[in-house]
Amino acid sequence: MMRVPKEGLIDLHVHLDGSLGFDLAQKLAASQGMEVISGEALRARMQVTENCRNLNDYLTKFDYPLSLMQTEEAVKTSVYELLKIQASQGLVYSEIRFAPQLHRQRGLTQRSVVAAAVGGLEKYRSETGAEGMAANLILCCMRGGDNRDENMETVSAAEEFFGRGVCGLDLAGAEALFPTGNFEDVFKLAGEKNIPFTIHAGEADGPESIWKALEFGAKRIGHGVRCLEDGELVRYLAENKIPLELCPTSNMNTKIFHHISEYPLLRLMDAGIRVTVNTDNMTVSGVTVREELQLMADTFGLGEQEIGQLLRNSADSAFLADADEKQRLKMKK
Ligand SMILES: [Zn+2]
């Protein structure tokens, strides 16, 4: 069996709140005078079980970690600790995403949340220098009915920190409840400010959600697996080299697929689509990027060449402005 390399890995789709480690959750609870939960009770709060029904059910696992990440110190520490964990797992680069508007329960502004996250990135960089992994932040706008102003503010925060830790924007949340088309003005503003963005689409909702994201100017699609329901869309994605950020275990958790053998990795690759393999939520789904790649290799009999292609796809799909930097990511492998 093919063994996925232990180095040179990249995660382009990983949520900060859904990847908060159990140990750090306990530390953050203790340091903030909150009830410290442990063992099975902690796991049940932060990780899905096989009984998870759908995306909306999956999203309830974010409430607890988010409640712990409502101070600048907690946000900064969460970013810093996640980078250390990713580096220990063989990652050379990651784009960590979070929604600044969800960190205002105790009075922080979106700007201060982003500044704190950038602080975590800088702390990691200053400690590790050129030896450490590279990383950037993606700011998520949120699907919802009455948060247009908050989403516009997220775009402004991305503009302020763009190139200084922030590399792009995203749209996250309950796709089936709040269709992509509702968020046109948010991404029009992002486009005007030349901030690249990805959009969660074609996961809980169908191909029209992906078409909308592309119409808005999305450079990548989060998940996007349901593009296969539309042949024209598949051809468009392949021809225009639009990367899909696949997160296989997460899609199993949310019951988009019921068995991993149904996962359409080979169909997407054979169609010539630039697919990348990512974790989505390291804690909620209980995965690492290497384990996800290994799962794909084991399930579909991938060889060294296919795994190499997936890793190159990730390097090519990074939201790095600098072409030299992308080249460097490939050289490291
Ligand atoms: Zn996601």
Side-chain angles (χ1 to χ4, degrees):
M1 264 303 173
M2 156 81 197
R3 301 305 302 169
V4 171
K6 291 193 173 73
E7 291 175 339
L9 306 176
I10 292 175
D11 198 344
L12 297 178
H13 189 134
V14 54
H15 293 263
L16 180 65
D17 46 4
S19 301
L20 183 71
F22 296 123
D23 290 351
L24 182 56
Q26 289 184 308
K27 271 188 213 153
L28 290 176
S31 69
Q32 296 177 73
M34 296 163 72
E35 186 198 354
V36 179
I37 310 170
S38 56
E40 273 311 302
L42 182 63
R43 189 172 290 270
R45 285 271 191 110
M46 299 177 69
Q47 198 163 66
V48 291
T49 62
E50 296 209 339
N51 302 324
C52 181
R53 293 182 306 268
N54 51 39
L55 179 60
N56 296 336
D57 197 7
Y58 186 88
L59 294 175
T60 63
K61 300 297 173 184
F62 295 79
D63 297 344
Y64 181 65
L66 272 172
S67 75
L68 300 171
M69 300 160 76
Q70 300 297 328
T71 66
E72 289 175 346
E73 192 55 36
V75 171
K76 180 180 173 182
T77 305
S78 305
V79 170
Y80 171 76
E81 293 290 338
L82 180 55
L83 288 167
K84 286 209 297 192
I85 289 170
Q86 289 179 322
S88 76
Q89 294 172 346
L91 272 69
V92 288
Y93 181 66
S94 78
E95 290 178 357
I96 299 171
R97 62 184 74 192
F98 62 98
Q101 63 189 272
L102 299 182
H103 297 265
R104 297 175 304 149
Q105 293 171 12
R106 294 209 216 161
L108 293 184
T109 62
Q110 292 201 46
R111 192 196 172 279
S112 60
V113 174
V114 178
V118 169
L121 205 60
E122 284 170 350
K123 180 178 180 209
Y124 174 81
R125 275 183 195 152
S126 69
E127 283 180 11
T128 58
E131 293 300 304
M133 64 178 280
N136 277 301
L137 304 170
I138 293 176
L139 306 187
C140 303
C141 297
M142 290 304 297
R143 292 178 189 272
D146 55 1
N147 61 336
R148 180 181 176 275
D149 291 351
E150 282 84 350
N151 284 337
M152 291 302 208
E153 202 182 324
T154 305
V155 177
S156 297
E159 184 186 23
E160 183 180 346
F161 290 93
F162 190 70
R164 296 190 290 133
V166 172
C167 66
L169 283 159
D170 176 32
L171 178 63
E175 187 189 2
L177 302 179
F178 305 102
T180 303
N182 296 1
F183 303 89
E184 180 169 8
D185 45 1
V186 174
F187 292 102
K188 192 162 173 271
L189 182 64
E192 284 166 10
K193 299 191 179 300
N194 282 318
I195 303 168
F197 54 89
T198 176
I199 290 182
H200 282 72
E203 178 190 16
D205 202 358
E208 63 281 5
S209 177
I210 302 175
W211 278 122
K212 263 293 165 215
L214 295 170
E215 186 190 313
F216 292 169
K219 296 269 188 291
R220 307 194 311 230
I221 300 293
H223 302 287
V225 284
R226 290 186 60 187
C227 69
L228 288 165
E229 295 167 23
D230 182 339
E232 198 188 327
L233 177 57
V234 168
R235 278 189 296 281
Y236 184 91
L237 292 168
E239 274 169 22
N240 293 281
K241 298 189 170 64
I242 305 286
L244 297 189
E245 304 156 1
L246 301 183
C247 311
T249 297
S250 170
N251 285 173
M252 296 281 294
N253 296 150
T254 57
K255 301 296 186 281
I256 294 174
F257 303 100
H258 295 273
H259 192 276
I260 196 65
S261 62
E262 295 166 15
Y263 198 75
L265 181 82
L266 296 180
R267 283 175 68 198
L268 293 165
M269 287 179 88
D270 290 347
I273 295 179
R274 185 179 281 182
V275 295
T276 66
V277 174
N278 311 278
T279 58
D280 209 5
N281 296 287
M282 292 164 61
T283 303
V284 177
S285 289
V287 293
T288 68
V289 73
R290 181 157 177 268
E291 285 167 353
E292 288 294 85
L293 283 164
Q294 191 66 54
L295 177 66
M296 294 295 96
D298 293 347
T299 307
F300 301 111
L302 304 186
E304 223 167 284
Q305 202 187 327
E306 284 105 341
I307 292 292
Q309 183 64 54
L310 289 171
L311 296 177
R312 277 194 302 281
N313 286 352
S314 290
D316 287 337
S317 305
F319 278 157
L320 292 171
D322 185 4
D324 291 345
E325 186 73 4
K326 282 194 182 184
Q327 196 54 39
R328 197 178 65 84
L329 286 179
K330 278 190 262 190
M331 304 287 281
K332 262 198 171 180
K333 286 205 276 292

